[in-house]
Amino acid sequence: MYSQTEYNLIEISPKLARQQLSRHANSSTLHGNARIINQSILDWDKHESRPCFVVAMEVIDNLAHDVVRYDYQTDTPYQALVHVFDDGEFEEIYEQVYDPLIREYLATRALAAKKYRSPALSSRLYRKLRSQMPLAPNMTQAEFVPTHAFRFIQVLGKHFPRHRIVLSDFYKLPDTVPNAVSAPVVQTRFDGNMVPCTTYLVQPGWFDIFFPTDFELLLQMYNHMCRAGASAALGPARVCSQREFARKYAELANTATRSGENPMLDFYENNKFLLS
């Protein structure tokens, strides 16, 4: 099975793709059916009708999100735009949702997760009382919506109809941007230490930005988009914790330390898996 399997490694970075291609060309031990493809999975346009596995480990935490806030009275969503001033300062500007990807994501979320309600939307009674207070805001706190993880699922459903997925990522993170739903960690290195920031409005290229994933919502979106119609016969996906995954699939005797600890069970407690 190993010798007959095809491996397609999709690498968005040209530099890393060149390094992998160089290693592949200069090694006699690498798999003959392995291909390195320098492309974003979000731009994938080739149809694969054969059964396959899609393995995505810590991929979606780096995919771009959009920021929305909701009107306190009507629940109407507004999208954030970032205005960059001549001196390099940033300012958020909100307008009605015109971006087609945000609109499609919100519409699909409403269909796939009918009972889901954004944590940014507190109870109507609270919002009504809050709106009557002096200097009350007219919009809720921000929500970072995973529009490009949504695009990733669209690609899987459209071009890999018989796929099964093994996806793992963070479902919670420390030191996230405060006062926002599904907010990212934004950090940079200073004097050898990683320093978290309190805003995502930072200079591009100098900061690491990564997001937690709501796996229960992701599961509903995935089943709605990738396990409907002809693909329904493959069965619904499921979510499990890192510990549950390791207990079922890992060779734990090979990962235990001399002290008796097992990193596969004791670490990565903020990870979950989506499996189909």
Side-chain angles (χ1 to χ4, degrees), residues 2 7 25 48 54 81 105 110 167 171 255 258:
Y2 175 74
Y7 298 86
E48 178 54 75
V54 176
L81 304 178
Y105 169 81
L167 181 151
Y171 73 92
T255 60
R258 292 181 180 179

Side-chain angles (χ1 to χ4, degrees), residues 3-174:
S3 62
Q4 296 176 350
T5 301
E6 295 179 10
Y7 298 86
N8 295 283
L9 311 177
I10 303 172
E11 174 56 64
I12 191 173
S13 166
K15 180 179 179 180
L16 293 178
R18 286 195 299 270
Q19 292 177 355
Q20 293 169 7
L21 285 167
S22 176
R23 288 182 58 193
H24 190 270
N26 296 325
S27 175
S28 60
T29 60
L30 292 180
H31 199 293
N33 289 341
R35 292 195 305 150
I36 294 92
I37 303 168
N38 182 204
Q39 182 181 350
S40 169
I41 185 60
L42 302 183
D43 297 327
W44 191 270
D45 59 359
K46 298 180 180 65
H47 190 75
E48 178 54 75
S49 60
R50 296 174 297 175
C52 61
F53 279 87
V54 176
V55 181
M57 314 300 283
E58 293 188 17
V59 170
I60 60 175
D61 67 293
N62 293 124
L63 295 182
H65 287 51
D66 281 282
V67 175
V68 298
R69 295 173 73 180
Y70 303 88
D71 184 278
Y72 251 117
Q73 300 297 324
T74 65
D75 294 354
T76 301
Y78 288 80
Q79 66 185 31
L81 304 178
V82 177
H83 177 75
V84 183
F85 291 94
D86 292 338
D87 60 0
E89 292 297 315
F90 302 100
E91 180 185 21
E92 283 183 331
I93 300 173
Y94 285 89
E95 64 178 15
Q96 290 189 4
V97 177
Y98 294 111
D99 184 283
L101 182 59
I102 300 176
R103 296 181 68 171
E104 188 176 9
Y105 169 81
L106 293 175
T108 304
R109 186 177 74 178
L111 290 173
K114 292 182 172 61
K115 295 183 179 180
Y116 178 82
R117 182 174 176 80
S118 169
L121 292 167
S122 53
S123 71
R124 292 185 182 275
L125 176 60
Y126 171 81
R127 283 183 285 150
K128 182 177 181 180
L129 295 174
R130 181 73 177 86
S131 65
Q132 296 173 359
M133 297 178 65
L135 303 177
N138 58 0
M139 288 193 295
T140 67
Q141 64 177 328
E143 178 183 5
F144 289 82
V145 293
T147 42
H148 284 65
F150 173 67
R151 283 185 59 198
F152 174 55
I153 299 173
Q154 285 181 317
V155 169
L156 297 183
K158 181 178 181 180
H159 295 298
F160 302 91
R162 301 177 68 188
H163 80 274
R164 295 189 181 276
I165 193 168
V166 179
L167 181 151
S168 178
D169 229 304
F170 309 109
Y171 73 92
K172 62 179 180 180
L173 290 167

